[in-house]
Amino acid sequence: MNIAIIGYGYWGPNLVRNFSTASNCSVLMVVDFRLERLTELKKQYPSLITSTNLDDLFNNRAIDAVVIATPVFTHFDLAKRALERDKHVLIEKPMTNSVEQANVLIDLSIKKNKVLMVDHTFLYTNGVQRMKKMIDAGEIGKLKYFDSTRINLGLFQPDVNVLWDLAPHDLSILNYLKSEKPFSVQATGISHTNNGIENIAFLTINYQSDFIAHFNCSWTSPVKIRMMLIGGDKKMIVFNDLEPSEKIKIYDTGYQHTTDEDKNKILVDYRSGDIFIPKIENKEALSNMAADFISAITNNTTPISNFQSGLDVVRILEAAQKSIKNKGKEVII
Ligand SMILES: NC(=O)c1ccc[n+]([C@@H]2O[C@H](COP(=O)([O-])OP(=O)(O)OC[C@H]3O[C@@H](n4cnc5c(N)ncnc54)[C@H](O)[C@@H]3O)[C@@H](O)[C@H]2O)c1
């Protein structure tokens, strides 16, 4: 199977490297508008075909699949053209910049019988896979909350706000771990530049059950934090992605409440037990992701980060954007 990659900026080189070493596929071509990026690529991969012209890719019948690693606003057009040319498509996160566009791509991929997948890289980390196993096995209990902080002195993106840039990772993890569909969102944010694109944003997702999720995203923090707290009624998980080896800690912590009938008071009983640190193999998530895409094409399997996962994330982001523009008003999903 021959793969072509569009976009050799910051993220593209990671995709070229992982697909080049993946089984059952070879990277045939890389396209980027910027000649200097292709010159850079040629130093490492002299045999790869490079081009600044997208037609070279779309007209090449030997290319079976296209990987899109360009800015978000270009995803829809590029993916649509690739599907129309009967090519399987992998799009970098977030899938598109609207639900309408995501739905057009999904319908087209079904009509063309081609794989359409999104790179939600974190779903392929051994840490997230381990959390999924523990949650599904009931070890954490009934999930009560998900609280994520993803902040640093980040690169201001010219086309999307900080939620579209940073939250897809955490949103895809949330949707993967929690099968219940979100009910509504409320979000606030601020732009400290004159382009109106928010560089700090806070998002809350409400559910019909008693579960709640919250996200804090910023490009303007002096410290880098990549942390998720996942609370269940049996145990609580702390996922710290900046920890080199001990990314996940399971706290045997909980609380029980009873109501004192006479005084009508809530009495809370706390439990603080052991902390368990599972051993997690540190394999690069992108190689698992590449293998999942190839398997979806060659073995007809459903990828973990499938188009539904892409659409679900875009749906939340679009609703959050609406809420931000309406000063935090609740938007039903
Ligand atoms: N999965 C992850 O963890 C992860 C991490 C970083 C970025 N990303 C995603 O990867 C995508 C690219 O991000 P980036 O940071 O690499 O951006 P970038 O701006 O560094 O690179 C994009 C490259 O695409 C090229 N390009 C743009 N439009 C093109 C077109 N129409 N045809 C050909 N080339 C074109 C540009 O010249 C540039 O070299 C985004 O969707 C981003 O969200 C994902």
Side-chain angles (χ1 to χ4, degrees):
M1 193 180 65
N2 291 319
I3 288 194
I5 294 170
I6 312 178
Y8 196 74
Y10 163 67
W11 197 242
N14 296 323
L15 294 162
V16 173
R17 179 168 50 78
N18 278 281
F19 276 104
S20 297
T21 51
S23 308
N24 301 326
C25 92
S26 61
V27 180
L28 201 70
M29 184 188 284
V30 174
V31 178
D32 197 301
F33 282 161
R34 293 188 293 163
L35 197 56
E36 70 273 20
R37 292 303 300 153
L38 299 177
T39 310
E40 193 59 36
L41 168 93
K42 276 282 190 189
K43 287 183 198 161
Q44 278 193 55
Y45 304 93
S47 63
L48 275 188
I49 305 169
T50 56
S51 175
T52 52
N53 185 351
L54 286 163
D55 288 336
D56 291 342
L57 184 161
F58 292 124
N59 293 336
N60 188 332
R61 293 240 181 117
I63 292 168
D64 305 292
V66 175
V67 178
I68 298 169
T70 53
V72 185
F73 73 93
T74 65
H75 289 181
F76 174 71
D77 282 339
L78 294 173
K80 186 162 170 284
R81 281 182 75 184
L83 287 167
E84 281 166 352
R85 293 302 180 108
D86 294 306
K87 301 186 190 306
H88 302 280
V89 172
L90 168 68
I91 316 181
E92 262 311 320
K93 61 81 196 165
M95 186 179 183
T96 54
N97 55 18
S98 77
V99 169
E100 191 187 348
Q101 290 180 346
N103 276 323
V104 169
L105 294 182
I106 290 172
D107 289 348
L108 190 56
S109 76
I110 293 169
K111 188 175 145 210
K112 292 279 187 178
N113 197 20
K114 296 289 158 197
V115 172
L116 172 64
M117 180 175 146
V118 183
D119 175 19
H120 289 145
T121 318
F122 271 84
L123 302 188
Y124 295 93
T125 59
N126 289 329
V128 170
Q129 286 300 322
R130 183 66 184 251
M131 289 197 291
K132 171 89 174 148
K133 269 198 193 110
M134 285 187 297
I135 290 168
D136 288 354
E139 288 174 36
I140 308 302
K142 187 167 181 290
L143 294 188
K144 295 288 183 183
Y145 66 86
F146 182 105
D147 192 1
S148 153
T149 305
R150 189 172 286 271
I151 58 176
N152 65 316
L153 212 50
L155 203 62
F156 280 58
Q157 300 293 330
D159 57 333
V160 289
N161 75 14
V162 69
L163 281 183
W164 285 84
D165 183 37
L166 299 183
H169 293 308
D170 308 287
L171 291 171
S172 65
I173 296 171
L174 166 72
N175 289 339
Y176 186 55
L177 298 180
K178 172 90 184 153
S179 53
E180 183 183 357
K181 292 278 174 222
F183 173 71
S184 68
V185 305
Q186 286 156 292
T188 51
I190 190 87
S191 172
H192 290 134
T193 60
N194 56 11
N195 65 6
I197 294 180
E198 293 80 16
N199 49 286
I200 298 178
F202 307 103
L203 162 66
T204 302
I205 307 182
N206 305 299
Y207 290 74
Q208 272 175 328
S209 68
D210 64 350
F211 179 79
I212 191 162
H214 179 259
F215 303 79
N216 169 5
C217 293
S218 171
W219 292 322
T220 42
S221 158
V223 290
K224 182 169 181 169
I225 303 177
R226 298 278 185 265
M227 190 174 278
M228 274 181 308
L229 310 177
I230 302 170
D233 62 6
K234 281 191 193 160
K235 291 181 183 168
M236 299 183 191
I237 305 175
V238 176
F239 179 94
N240 183 354
D241 197 36
L242 298 186
E243 279 278 345
S245 57
E246 300 177 354
K247 288 193 190 297
I248 295 181
K249 293 188 177 144
I250 317 296
Y251 286 73
D252 188 6
T253 301
Y255 55 89
Q256 270 189 325
H257 52 84
T258 46
T259 308
D260 183 333
E261 297 293 345
D262 296 338
K263 297 176 195 129
N264 212 10
K265 254 173 44 187
I266 304 286
L267 303 172
V268 182
D269 226 2
Y270 298 96
R271 192 190 74 255
S272 183
D274 293 337
I275 303 168
F276 169 62
I277 304 175
K279 185 163 166 39
I280 290 165
E281 195 202 339
N282 219 350
K283 191 179 170 204
E284 189 173 359
L286 269 188
S287 73
N288 296 335
M289 191 280 297
D292 203 24
F293 182 54
I294 295 160
S295 166
I297 296 168
T298 52
N299 307 325
N300 211 13
T301 50
T302 303
I304 292 174
S305 184
N306 50 47
F307 60 56
Q308 188 62 47
S309 166
L311 173 66
D312 290 345
V313 166
V314 172
R315 198 187 297 285
I316 293 172
L317 291 171
E318 193 178 84
Q321 179 100 22
K322 213 185 265 177
S323 179
I324 289 177
K325 296 303 173 202
N326 287 287
K327 303 260 177 265
K329 190 170 179 276
E330 183 178 21
V331 176
I332 311 290
I333 295 184

